[in-house]
């Protein structure tokens, strides 16, 4: 039986055994949330490892900057396809077992590079790994949302989002040490071992919560008709935020083609764009252009992700408070996300006019403020009921990931166009090559800033999930074709 928030906050004192059950449920909810945070940490550590091994792997594997950028982008080749497929699967089966299968796949795919794989193996494993990690954020959020009522989802959602920023924070210093002591291949091996440990723990602890879709929430079968596509919807119509789980199944492609969803995709893509750079090129940029040692790179690489975690925690607390005070998900989640993206865009553009510590500080702030993608998935989830929520969130993540496909290739191409050539194994880049890399990367910063400004502005203006929900419920609710006419 689904437990609703009204049952938990009733003025009368619940029976002692009822209080115990609710207390246990609350503890279990936060334990599961903690496991999902770890899940996100592992996922983003997997993404960050390629940038950390780049300086050693590129010469040993005989890769140019453009080729290495292509491998970085390859991580996202299957990201969208698998995300969309998994979103539909999660509307029918327990998300616990989807997460379990993903964790096993992540762990196993790390070991081929530990065992001596070459450039082709690296390319193939990154493509498959990206497909397996594509639905990670959407499935994590889907799982967490089954444990919390709609007005209490902002904080746990942003904690999970913060886990994605903490992955590189923990991975960078650990893997930099592993690379220095055991070699770059062991960076993959360590991640595989950590992944297996998480899988075992999730098998024992993971579960779906009391707000999971009810069995009778299933959408009607094929042959259904739209309820009333001509019904008028005014600008003031919005689904009550606390009641979003009660929304009826709708014609899902109407949601996927809405202005709100497209705005979320562009806003999310701007964040993925930055992730592509941070996980593929930031470590080498810091080592070659800024001149940091491997240990310093390992420490400095974490700063944008730490800033991102702090931004997400702050915005999560703000959203939690606003939702409790009656604000919409648009105001509590979408607008703060858009503001963070706009700030990041301005910082990326401003880097061109600065140098030294100011430029590095702007880079860290820009990177951190552009890591809030899960907030777009959380926001758009308020537009539909619990059964269809994973479809919307996973499709959003999959389509938005094209930002990360483009940016590593673009940065690598701009570096090559500026004259950068990777030095032979064991040699450091010359001052001329460092300057060429800087020229290419700085051009990419300007493009990145513009992308973030556009994405953030669109989310502020048009990512209004409750309004989309009202439109879908009035016009596009699925009705069985053989149902009697009103």
């Amino acid at each position: 039986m689904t437990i609703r928030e009204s049952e938990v906050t009733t003025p009368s004192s619940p029976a002692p055994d009822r209080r115990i059950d609710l207390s246990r449920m609350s503890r279990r909810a936060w334990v599961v949330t903690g496991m999902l945070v770890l899940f996100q940490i592992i996922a983003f550590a997997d993404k960050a490892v390629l940038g950390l091994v780049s300086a050693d792997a590129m010469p040993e594997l005989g890769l140019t900057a453009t080729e290495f950028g292509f491998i970085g982008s390859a991580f996202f080749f299957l990201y969208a396809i698998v995300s969309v497929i998994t979103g539909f699967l999660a509307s029918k089966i327990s998300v616990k077992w989807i997460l379990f299968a993903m964790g096993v796949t992540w762990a196993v795919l790390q070991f081929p590079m530990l065992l001596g794989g070459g450039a082709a193996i690296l390319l193939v494993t990154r493509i498959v790994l990206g497909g397996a990690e594509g639905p990670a954020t959407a499935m994590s959020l889907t799982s967490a949302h089954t444990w919390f009522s709609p007005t209490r989802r902002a904080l746990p959602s942003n904690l999970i989002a913060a886990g994605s920023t903490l992955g590189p924070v923990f991975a960078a210093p650990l893997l930099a040490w592993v690379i220095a002591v055991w070699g770059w291949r062991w960076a993959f091996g360590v991640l595989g071992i950590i992944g297996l440990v998480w899988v075992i723990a999730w098998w024992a602890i993971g579960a779906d919560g009391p707000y999971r879709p009810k069995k009778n929430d299933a959408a009607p079968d094929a042959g259904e008709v739209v309820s009333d596509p001509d019904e008028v919807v005014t600008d003031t119509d919005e689904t009550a935020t606390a009641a979003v789980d009660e929304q009826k199944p709708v014609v899902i492609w109407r949601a996927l083609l809405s202005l709100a969803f497209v705005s979320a995709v562009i806003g999310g893509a701007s964040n993925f764009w930055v992730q592509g750079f941070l996980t593929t090129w930031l470590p080498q940029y810091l080592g070659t252009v800024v001149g940091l040692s491997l240990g310093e790179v390992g420490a400095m690489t974490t700063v944008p992700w730490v800033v991102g975690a702090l931004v997400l925690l702050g915005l999560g607390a703000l959203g939690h408070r606003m939702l409790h005070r009656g604000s919409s998900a648009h105001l509590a989640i979408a607008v703060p996300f858009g503001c963070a993206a706009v700030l990041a865009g301005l910082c990326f553009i401003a880097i061109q006019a600065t140098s030294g510590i100011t430029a590095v500080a702007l880079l860290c702030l820009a990177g951190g403020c552009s890591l809030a993608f899960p907030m777009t998935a959380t926001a758009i989830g308020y537009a539909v009921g619990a059964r269809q929520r994973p479809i919307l969130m996973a499709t959003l993540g999959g389509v938005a990931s094209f930002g990360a496909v483009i940016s590593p290739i673009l940065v690598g191409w701009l570096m090559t166009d500026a004259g950068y050539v990777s030095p032979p194994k064991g040699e450091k880049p010359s001052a001329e090559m460092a300057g060429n890399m800087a020229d290419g990367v700085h051009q990419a910063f300007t493009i990145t800033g513009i992308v973030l400004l556009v994405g953030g502005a669109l989310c502020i203006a048009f990512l209004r999930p409750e309004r989309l929900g009202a439109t879908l419920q009035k016009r596009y609710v699925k009705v069985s074709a053989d149902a009697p006419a009103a």
Side-chain angles (χ1 to χ4, degrees):
M1 177 179 180
T2 302
I3 300 175
R4 301 299 176 195
E5 188 178 34
S6 59
E7 296 179 72
V8 178
T9 57
T10 179
S12 59
S13 299
D17 58 339
R18 178 65 170 166
R19 282 201 301 268
I20 293 173
D21 287 344
L22 293 176
S23 176
R24 288 174 179 171
M25 186 186 77
S26 178
R27 287 198 300 269
R28 183 75 180 275
W30 288 109
V31 169
V32 171
T33 300
M35 288 294 296
L36 295 170
V37 171
L38 292 175
F39 187 71
Q40 290 293 102
I41 289 174
I42 295 170
F44 276 74
D46 290 347
K47 293 179 182 178
V49 67
L50 193 64
L52 293 169
V53 305
S54 61
D56 294 315
M58 284 177 65
E60 182 171 327
L61 299 178
L63 297 170
T64 66
T66 301
E67 290 168 341
F68 192 77
F70 179 80
I71 292 177
S73 296
F75 185 88
F76 296 94
F77 287 175
L78 294 179
Y79 209 91
I81 297 172
V82 178
S83 290
V84 174
I85 293 172
T86 306
F88 280 90
L89 285 176
S91 68
K92 300 178 182 300
I93 63 177
S94 170
V95 73
K96 170 183 176 176
W97 298 113
I98 292 177
L99 292 168
F100 180 83
M102 290 169 62
V104 171
T105 305
W106 298 0
V108 171
L109 286 171
Q110 303 298 339
F111 295 112
M113 290 310 298
L114 172 64
L115 300 176
I121 295 296
L122 178 61
L123 175 62
V124 171
T125 55
R126 296 304 288 181
I127 292 174
V128 180
L129 181 65
E133 291 195 359
T137 297
M139 294 302 101
S140 296
L141 292 173
T142 297
S143 180
H145 287 186
T146 68
W147 285 97
F148 297 92
S149 65
T151 57
R152 296 179 61 230
R153 288 173 185 162
L155 183 57
S157 295
N158 274 35
L159 285 173
I160 290 169
S164 64
T165 69
L166 293 175
V169 171
F170 293 131
L174 171 63
L175 297 183
W177 178 82
V178 169
I179 293 167
V181 176
W182 295 335
W184 65 271
R185 292 184 181 277
W186 263 104
F188 294 95
V190 168
L191 288 176
I193 294 169
I194 293 173
L196 290 176
V197 172
W198 183 90
V199 164
I200 295 170
W202 180 253
W203 180 81
I205 297 173
D208 296 334
Y211 293 93
R212 61 187 176 274
K214 294 176 289 186
K215 291 183 179 180
N216 59 358
D217 282 342
D221 296 329
E224 39 202 31
V225 296
V226 178
S227 57
D228 189 354
D230 297 320
E231 185 166 352
V232 176
V233 181
T234 67
D235 287 342
T236 57
D237 283 344
E238 288 190 347
T239 299
T241 303
V244 294
D245 283 357
E246 307 304 324
Q247 296 178 104
K248 299 175 182 178
V250 299
V251 180
I252 198 65
W253 67 267
R254 294 285 185 175
L256 297 175
L257 294 180
S258 67
L259 180 58
F261 186 81
V262 172
S263 299
V265 166
I266 296 174
S270 72
N271 278 208
F272 272 102
W273 183 287
V274 177
Q275 286 181 31
F277 167 75
L278 294 179
T279 57
T280 305
W281 290 114
L282 179 61
Q284 193 166 350
Y285 173 80
L286 292 174
T288 302
V289 177
V290 182
L292 303 182
S293 67
L294 178 60
E296 291 170 334
V297 168
M300 196 66 193
T301 299
T302 67
V303 176
W305 302 94
V306 171
V307 173
L310 294 175
V311 168
L312 283 165
L313 291 174
L315 294 182
L318 173 65
H320 182 79
R321 189 178 303 112
M322 291 179 68
L323 286 172
H324 264 290
R325 291 178 178 177
S327 295
S328 66
H330 167 244
L331 293 176
I333 302 172
V335 170
F337 165 84
C339 291
V342 167
L343 176 59
L346 293 173
C347 289
F348 268 117
I349 294 173
I351 291 173
Q352 314 304 307
T354 60
S355 60
I357 191 171
T358 303
V360 174
L362 284 173
L363 175 58
C364 293
L365 180 60
C369 287
S370 54
L371 294 174
F373 155 73
M375 293 181 68
T376 62
T378 299
I380 202 66
Y382 282 78
V384 293
R387 177 72 62 180
Q388 294 182 306
R389 187 170 299 127
I391 300 175
L392 233 59
M393 293 196 296
T395 303
L396 169 61
V399 179
S401 70
F402 281 107
V405 174
I406 298 170
S407 65
I409 295 176
L410 177 65
V411 174
W413 180 82
L414 289 172
M415 286 165 50
T416 301
D417 188 62
Y420 176 78
V421 178
S422 180
K425 182 179 180 179
E427 295 184 19
K428 294 183 177 181
S430 65
E432 180 185 0
M433 288 299 104
N436 293 342
M437 175 184 279
D439 290 342
V441 173
H442 290 165
Q443 291 179 57
F445 284 167
T446 300
I447 297 172
T448 301
I450 295 171
V451 171
L452 283 162
L453 288 174
V454 172
L458 286 173
C459 286
I460 291 172
F462 301 115
L463 182 45
R464 301 173 178 270
E466 289 94 349
R467 183 175 297 178
L468 173 59
T471 300
L472 295 172
Q473 291 300 303
K474 283 194 172 184
R475 293 181 175 177
Y476 304 116
V477 170
K478 290 183 175 183
V479 180
S480 176
D482 57 1

